[in-house]
Amino acid sequence: EAGVAQSPRYKIIEKRQSVAFWCNPISGHATLYWYQQILGQGPKLLIQFQNNGVVDDSQLPKDRFSAERLKGVDSTLKIQPAKLEDSAVYLCASSEGQGISYTEAFFGQGTRLTVV
Amino acid sequence: AQSVTQLDSHVSVSEGTPVLLRCNYSSSYSPSLFWYVQHPNKGLQLLLKYTSAATLVKGINGFEAEFKKSETSFHLTKPSAHMSDAAEYFCVVTLIKAAGNKLTFGGGTRVLVKP
C-alpha cells in the first residue's frame, strides 16, 4: 500500500515570499490533515478536510495560510506571505476515520520549511 | 474538549534497561489512544493503539502500553531499550466524530539511549 506522499521535502524561502506544499493521501482515505510541527513541539493541527470539505480550520492563520483539497483527493497548503515564525515541518496525514474508532492516521515524511 | 500531557520532555536510558514514557489524557468521551514514534528526518509511525479489547496493548518493536481509565493514563513501556529506540515519541488522543476523527498530540518525549 502506497503511503502519504508530500513534496517538496525541504524548502528555504525569504520572509514575505510565498510557498506551497503538496500532499497526496492514501487512496480511499476520506480524512486529510495538515499539521505544523515547530522544532521541539508536538504537531499542531492547521486544517482538517473530510473529502473536499473543511471540518476544522480553527487554528489556521487565515490571513496568510490557505489550503484546498482538489476533488477530495490531493491537497495543497499555501503560505503567503511567509514569516520567520512559519519555519517548521509541515506534516500531511490521512485517515479512513469517518466516525470510525481506533483507525489511525498515516503520516507523510513532511516538508521542512525554513524562512530566512 | 480533549488534551494530552506527556510528563517528561526528555528521557535518558542505558541500552538494555527498561523504558517508561508517561502520558495522561483528558477526554469528555471514551478515548481512542495511540502512540507514534518519529525518528530524525522521518515521518510519524504508529507504534500501537488502544482498541478497548484489552487494557494492555502490544505494539511493534517490543513496546507496549497500558490503558488505566481510573488514572486517565496510557504509559508506554519497553523492557529493554535498544539504540534504535532513540527517537521522539508522541501520545495521541482521538475524538471520534462522524465528520472525521480529531487527533490531539502531546508535546512529545525525546528518548536518548546510551551505550
Side-chain angles (χ1 to χ4, degrees), chain B residues 4-85:
Chain B
V4 182
T5 302
Q6 292 184 240
L7 298 169
D8 307 291
S9 60
H10 293 82
V11 167
S12 180
V13 298
S14 297
E15 190 175 22
T17 65
V19 181
L20 169 64
L21 305 183
R22 298 181 294 167
C23 171
N24 285 98
Y25 68 91
S26 172
S27 178
S28 302
Y29 305 91
S30 295
S32 293
L33 294 159
F34 304 82
W35 276 98
Y36 282 85
V37 61
Q38 187 177 37
H39 288 92
N41 299 314
K42 296 286 180 65
L44 288 151
Q45 180 186 17
L46 182 71
L47 271 180
L48 49 80
K49 59 184 178 182
Y50 168 63
T51 65
S52 83
T55 56
L56 185 62
V57 182
K58 294 188 183 299
I60 61 172
N61 302 334
F63 284 93
E64 61 182 35
E66 186 171 9
F67 174 69
K68 292 187 177 180
K69 186 174 182 178
S70 60
E71 298 177 9
T72 61
S73 68
F74 191 54
H75 301 334
L76 181 71
T77 61
K78 182 173 181 177
S80 177
H82 190 270
M83 295 299 292
S84 61
D85 295 327

Side-chain angles (χ1 to χ4, degrees), chain A residues 9 31 33 35 37 40-43 45 48 50 55-56 91 97-105 107-109 112, chain B residues 31-32 34 36 38 41-44 46 49-52 88 90 96-103 105-108:
Chain A
R9 287 293 311 278
T31 307
Y33 310 84
Y35 285 88
Q37 186 177 19
Q41 299 180 17
L45 180 69
Q48 178 177 344
Q50 187 70 9
V55 297
D56 188 345
L91 296 166
Q98 191 169 353
I100 301 172
S101 61
Y102 318 126
T103 180
E104 67 265 32
F107 286 80
Q109 289 196 297
R112 182 178 298 276
Chain B
S32 293
F34 304 82
Y36 282 85
Q38 187 177 37
N41 299 314
K42 296 286 180 65
L44 288 151
L46 182 71
K49 59 184 178 182
Y50 168 63
T51 65
S52 83
E88 186 140 24
F90 293 97
I96 309 302
K97 298 173 68 174
N101 297 350
K102 181 178 175 67
L103 280 64
F105 280 76

